[in-house]
Each structure stands twice: as structure tokens, then as C-alpha cells.
Amino acid sequence: MTRLDATHRLAAALGNDLVIASLGHPAYDLFAAGDRDTYFYTWGSMGLASSVGLGLAMAQPDRRVVVLDGDGSLLMNLGSLATIGWVRPANLVVIVWDNGLYGTTGGQDTATAHGTDLDAAARAMGISATATVKTLAELDHAMARSRSQSGPWVIVAKVDESAPAVKPPQDCVFIKQRFMAAIGVPEGGTQGGPA
Amino acid sequence: MPWAVGVCAGLHAAGSRHVVYVPDNPLSHVLRALRENYPDVETTIATREEEAFGIAAGLYLGGKRPTVMLQSSGLGNSINALTSLLVPYQIPALILISMRGDAGEWNSAQVPMGRAVAPICDAIGLPHATATSPETTADTVALVAKTAFATRTAGVCLLPRRLTVPASRVGG
């Protein structure tokens, strides 16, 4: 399956989930599959999508948070798996589009093309709910399991690279404000009284 | 009040109930004071400072007022997270930096980054203030946080060694 095909299939199953998309192709494909206010597209900070998802999952424990990461991005911030494995937010699902490539930068190999297993890495860092999927049907099954069995989940989806045709909105403040409005939280933060 | 209690009072008064951090020795006093005096403040330890800023950004997107605590050396690990996430998306946080490499330092490996902290903050657009005494620390922290969250600009409060390491002072 290509990443774009898999993203389309995934998007159909997201419903009201909050989504943090890693920069580059994961974000481009998510936008191509149909834009929603509940999507937060990152345009930088490579590697931090799962960390942003962790913070969001902690702040919004009653919402499901889905992170769309890439293998190269997650390899930049493997410590995030250790922190997720420690905090264990039940409402966090990390999808890793694993194509064994730095796709956005021209197709250089990542370590997953040479033996690194991110599913095993997640389990080694205390995340017990994991899956590796290679077909759309397996992806559907894993997503269904992630709804019935508490997280945190790490789902490694083995995908083929697919060149994205469109880019999401590029105004960072617009992306943030739209996303926070969709959740229904005000700018400036709310907990603990007035700023 | 002791400086570490002042840090806690300041962030609490500004409405922050989540502290994400990478520890250092002076910050251990803040963590202890949080546990003893402000049990409603949740703490999360990150493996690296840029990860802490990612978590803080997510907390803010979810409606919280995050505080990030780090040693000055960790600012070097954080610059991409700050300049490509918090700054362009106008995501605020209270940033507490425990200083190394400033007056009183003994470790030369800490000095270059310590000297660079304020210029880096200026270069990437982060306002910064320094807590200069235990008596004024709570107010300084609270005011930095108030401005950060009200103006959606991450704000830095520097905690110099002359504040956090009494033994570094004459007669300390």
C-alpha cells in the first residue's frame, strides 16, 4: 500500500479524533485525504509530532489523539517513546508511516530499511499495545483494535512512498487557532485561573 | 521565601499546572518545593529539552498553560523546537532556565552556552527577564508567565547561579 492510500483509509476512520501530523509528506497526504479543523499540521520541528501528541493527550484525556509520524522523524526523537511508555496516556495512538526513506528530502534510506524495528523499539520502551501492518485490511484491523483496547498505541504501517500533490495551509497561526477552536479551548490557556 | 518556593508560587499564580522538564541540580529544589507546596501541579520529565517543548506545545493546544524547566545547556538542544514550533505558531510557555556558565561557574564546558543564552533568546525573539533575589523571584516568574500567555509569546525567566547556588556567593 502507498502512504497516500493508507492515509485515505485511515482518514475515513478518524471521526472526531484530534490529529497531529508530522511535517512533510505525512502532513501533505493527510491534507490530500480531506482537510478538517481537527488536524494540526506541523511545518517544522522534525521529530516532535509524537511529543506534541503526548502533551495534547495529557491535556485532553477525553479526546482520542492520533499522531501521524514518519520513520525518519520518529528516529530523530526516540526518547519520545520512552516518555510515552512512562506516562501511558490511554487516548494516544501513534501511527508511523514507515517507508524506510527520508521521503520529503529526496529518498535517502532510513535505519528501518536496514534492520531497525520501531514496533520492537516501542515495546522495549514500555508501550505494550503495538502492531505492524502491511495492508489496508491490517491497518483497518489495527485501528479498530486501538479503539477497543486502551493505549498508548504505536502502529507501524509499512508503506510505499507516494508523491503528494497538494500542501496544507501554510499559515501556522491559522492552523493553531482553527485547531484550538475545534477543540473548544481558548487561546491563553484556562487551567488555574486568569493569566 | 526561598527562591525555589518563589518559582513555584510564581508559576502557580500565573495559572500553570503542568511543568515539563529536564532536571538539573538547582531545579531539584523547585521540584521538591512543588511536591511539598503545590501538589496540584503535574510534572513530566522529558528525555531531552526539545522533546519537552514538543510536549508543552501539545499541552497548550489542549488548553493548558505549560511551564518548561531546563538547564541553560539544554537551550542548545531546544532551538529548532522553539524556532519552528513555538515561535511561528505563537504557542506560549513559561520557560525557566537554570543558568550554568554565568558568574560563579567552575566548569569551563558550561561557559560558552551560558554566555550565549541571552543573545540566543534575543536572536529568536524570546523575551527574557532575570530573577535577581529570593524576595523578587515569585513576582518575576509570575509576570513573565502572565505576559507570555496573554501575548502568546513564550517567555524566559533566567535563574542565575548567584540566586540558585548560595555557596557561590561570598559568605555563602
Side-chain angles (χ1 to χ4, degrees):
Chain A
M1 60 180 167
T2 68
R3 187 190 49 243
L4 183 58
D5 289 342
T7 303
H8 273 282
R9 183 66 72 98
L10 180 81
L14 284 174
N16 202 29
D17 296 345
L18 305 176
V19 181
I20 306 292
S22 187
L23 77 167
H25 290 183
Y28 299 176
D29 281 356
L30 181 66
F31 181 73
D35 189 26
R36 290 181 189 161
D37 291 355
T38 46
Y39 295 170
F40 183 86
Y41 305 101
T42 62
W43 276 106
S45 55
M46 182 169 171
L48 292 189
S50 64
S51 302
V52 177
L54 171 60
L56 180 63
M58 291 163 59
Q60 292 284 321
D62 297 328
R63 299 290 298 263
R64 226 165 89 102
V65 175
V66 175
V67 172
L68 301 185
D69 215 340
D71 50 317
S73 289
L74 184 55
L75 285 166
M76 246 192 193
N77 186 21
L78 277 182
S80 180
L81 292 177
T83 307
I84 292 168
W86 179 352
V87 177
R88 296 187 191 177
N91 57 328
L92 179 63
V93 180
V94 178
I95 311 282
V96 185
W97 299 134
D98 183 1
N99 57 7
L101 296 171
Y102 292 100
T104 308
T105 60
Q108 304 84 358
D109 280 4
T110 68
T112 68
H114 299 272
T116 294
D117 181 344
L118 292 172
D119 180 328
R123 279 185 273 117
M125 295 206 225
I127 301 168
S128 57
T130 71
T132 297
V133 301
K134 296 179 178 174
T135 66
L136 294 175
E138 289 174 1
L139 177 62
D140 286 342
H141 182 62
M143 286 302 288
R145 284 178 62 207
S146 76
R147 289 191 183 279
S148 61
Q149 180 185 338
S150 281
W153 273 86
V154 170
I155 298 171
V156 178
K158 295 289 189 180
V159 294
D160 297 320
E161 176 63 11
S162 47
V166 291
K167 290 181 179 176
Q170 294 177 40
D171 183 327
C172 296
V173 175
F174 166 76
I175 293 167
K176 174 196 67 170
Q177 291 181 336
R178 187 181 72 159
F179 183 81
M180 293 179 73
I183 303 179
V185 298
E187 286 263 24
T190 52
Q191 186 166 326
Chain B
M1 66 179 73
W3 72 270
V5 178
V7 169
C8 302
L11 71 89
H12 198 270
S16 181
R17 298 291 182 271
H18 290 261
V19 175
V20 189
Y21 69 99
V22 175
D24 86 339
N25 196 301
L27 294 175
S28 71
H29 298 287
V30 177
L31 294 163
R32 186 177 309 117
L34 277 176
R35 282 196 300 273
E36 291 175 356
N37 301 299
Y38 298 97
D40 58 331
V41 175
E42 293 182 28
T43 61
T44 304
I45 189 164
T47 63
R48 187 177 163 86
E49 292 81 359
E50 65 172 349
E51 182 199 359
F53 282 106
I55 296 168
L59 283 166
Y60 180 76
L61 293 176
K64 307 303 184 187
R65 293 182 187 147
T67 296
V68 177
M69 297 201 307
L70 64 155
Q71 188 184 78
S72 51
S73 54
L75 182 62
N77 291 341
S78 308
I79 292 174
N80 190 47
L82 290 164
T83 56
S84 68
L85 183 60
L86 276 76
V87 171
Y89 286 84
Q90 296 179 16
I91 292 174
L94 168 63
I95 303 171
L96 300 171
I97 299 182
S98 169
M99 288 300 299
R100 295 295 305 264
D102 61 347
E105 181 59 63
W106 55 269
N107 180 346
S108 60
Q110 290 281 5
V111 171
M113 191 66 208
R115 287 171 56 99
V117 166
I120 287 172
C121 289
D122 291 335
I124 66 177
L126 295 184
H128 53 93
T130 300
T132 54
S133 70
E135 295 74 24
T136 58
T137 295
D139 279 352
T140 306
V141 170
L143 291 170
V144 168
K146 177 178 181 177
T147 299
F149 294 113
T151 66
R152 299 161 202 175
T153 304
V156 175
C157 183
L158 303 176
L159 306 171
R161 282 177 75 74
R162 67 174 68 86
L163 177 77
T164 63
V165 186
S168 69
R169 297 196 292 267
V170 174

